[in-house]
């Protein structure tokens, strides 16, 4: 998780006691020089042929997210858990309910806490 988002990282030297982030399989070439390990050229986990490809839901596309990491991005117009909801996020409904709940709670607290 420390290298999440490091999609353009192509060369990394780590101590011999550690392995390359994401494992040695996440890199095209892993060599040792002296007391360090050199990890070069990240592999794309989305189109790996040796293992099963990254499991994304039907309405999503796989995108690399760092060494040995991938993320599933919903294709338009899908959103939500496992990209099962179609359309756009109901912003107006969400903000309306949140605003009404906040206003109601504020009025209730003001009415009970005011002094006569």
């Amino acid at each position: 998780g420390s290298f999440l988002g490091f999609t353009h990282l192509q060369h990394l030297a780590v101590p011999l006691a550690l392995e390359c982030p994401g494992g040695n399989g996440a890199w095209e070439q892993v060599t040792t020089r002296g007391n360090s390990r050199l990890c070069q050229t990240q592999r794309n986990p989305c189109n790996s042929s040796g293992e099963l490809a990254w499991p994304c839901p039907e309405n999503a596309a796989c995108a690399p997210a760092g060494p040995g990491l991938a993320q599933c991005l919903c294709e338009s117009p899908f959103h939500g858990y496992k990209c099962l909801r179609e359309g756009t996020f109901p912003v107006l409904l969400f903000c309306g309910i949140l605003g009404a709940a906040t206003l109601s709670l504020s009025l209730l607290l003001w009415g009970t806490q005011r002094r006569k």
Side-chain angles (χ1 to χ4, degrees), residues 21-108:
N24 291 341
W27 300 86
E28 293 288 336
Q29 186 176 20
V30 178
T31 56
T32 55
R33 286 191 188 160
N35 59 355
S36 65
R37 183 182 320 269
L38 185 62
C39 315
Q40 296 178 316
T41 315
Q42 285 186 53
R43 287 187 176 157
N44 187 344
C46 296
N47 56 1
S48 61
S49 58
E51 312 169 348
L52 290 174
W54 194 265
C56 284
E58 184 178 339
N59 302 318
C62 182
L69 302 169
Q71 62 182 346
C72 297
L73 303 174
C74 296
E75 296 173 350
S76 183
F78 296 95
H79 70 279
Y81 178 68
K82 291 191 175 184
C83 305
L84 294 176
R85 297 186 187 264
E86 191 171 0
T88 58
F89 182 76
V91 176
L92 188 60
L93 179 64
F94 176 77
C95 291
I97 292 172
L98 182 63
T102 303
L103 182 63
S104 301
L105 187 59
S106 298
L107 288 173
L108 175 70

